[in-house]
Amino acid sequence: MFIAEEGVFDPEEMLNLYDSVGWEGYTSDVDKLCRGLVNSHLVITARDGSGKLLGLARTVSDDEHICYVQDVVVNPANHRQGVGRTLVEHLMRRYSHCRFFLLSTDHESSPEGKRNHAFYRSLGFLSYEEKRWPASDCQGTAPTCAM
C-alpha cells in the first residue's frame, strides 16, 4: 500500500469510492466533490501496487492550531486491511504540531457509528463526552481528538 498526497482527482474514481460507502451527499454532484477535494488543505490517498484507489482522507486546517479530518473513506472491499488506520495515523503524524486534531463521525447509537467509534477509539480518539478540553490540557498535547 502506498500513501501519497494528491491534488488532481479523477471524477469517475472519486465517484466510485464515495459511492462504495453510500455517501450520496457527495455523489449527487461529482464535480462539486472534486472541487471540494481540490480546495481541502490536504488529501492523501491509499493505493495498491497497481495504482488502484483503496481509500482517501482529507483535512481542513490552518496548519498551526487546528486540523479537522473531514473524510476518511475506504472502499468496503478493503475494510479491515489497515487502510483507514494507515491514513489516519499518517494525518496524526502530519498534524502533530497542531493543538487540536478533530473529526466527526456518526453517533455511536447507529450500527455504522458503533463501528466507527470502536475504530477511532483504537487510535486514541475520545468522544466529546469523554474529552472536555480543560484549559490546562490545550497546551502542546496534540493530537487532541474528539468524535
Side-chain angles (χ1 to χ4, degrees), residues 44-133:
I44 57 171
T45 58
R47 294 181 181 275
D48 69 12
S50 70
K52 179 183 173 192
L53 181 65
L54 308 174
L56 72 73
R58 72 179 178 123
T59 64
V60 177
S61 177
D62 64 9
D63 207 16
E64 294 293 339
H65 300 281
I66 188 148
C67 174
Y68 177 75
V69 180
Q70 174 59 34
D71 295 342
V72 177
V73 188
V74 177
N75 187 305
N78 306 109
H79 283 185
R80 307 208 50 86
Q81 296 175 21
V83 177
R85 175 174 296 277
T86 301
L87 289 165
V88 174
E89 287 176 342
H90 181 94
L91 293 177
M92 290 171 76
R93 285 189 304 274
R94 164 63 178 80
Y95 291 97
S96 65
H97 62 282
C98 291
R99 289 176 58 190
F100 299 99
F101 186 84
L102 308 164
L103 64 85
S104 61
T105 188
D106 296 322
H107 192 271
E108 196 167 12
S109 62
S110 73
E112 183 73 17
K114 186 173 184 175
R115 285 189 300 274
N116 289 347
H117 279 244
F119 169 68
Y120 290 120
R121 278 195 180 95
S122 76
L123 289 164
F125 284 74
L126 300 173
S127 70
Y128 179 76
E129 291 81 19
E130 296 165 323
K131 181 70 176 175
R132 294 293 185 195
W133 295 300

Side-chain angles (χ1 to χ4, degrees), residues 131-139:
K131 181 70 176 175
R132 294 293 185 195
W133 295 300
S136 62
D137 203 28
C138 292
Q139 303 301 318

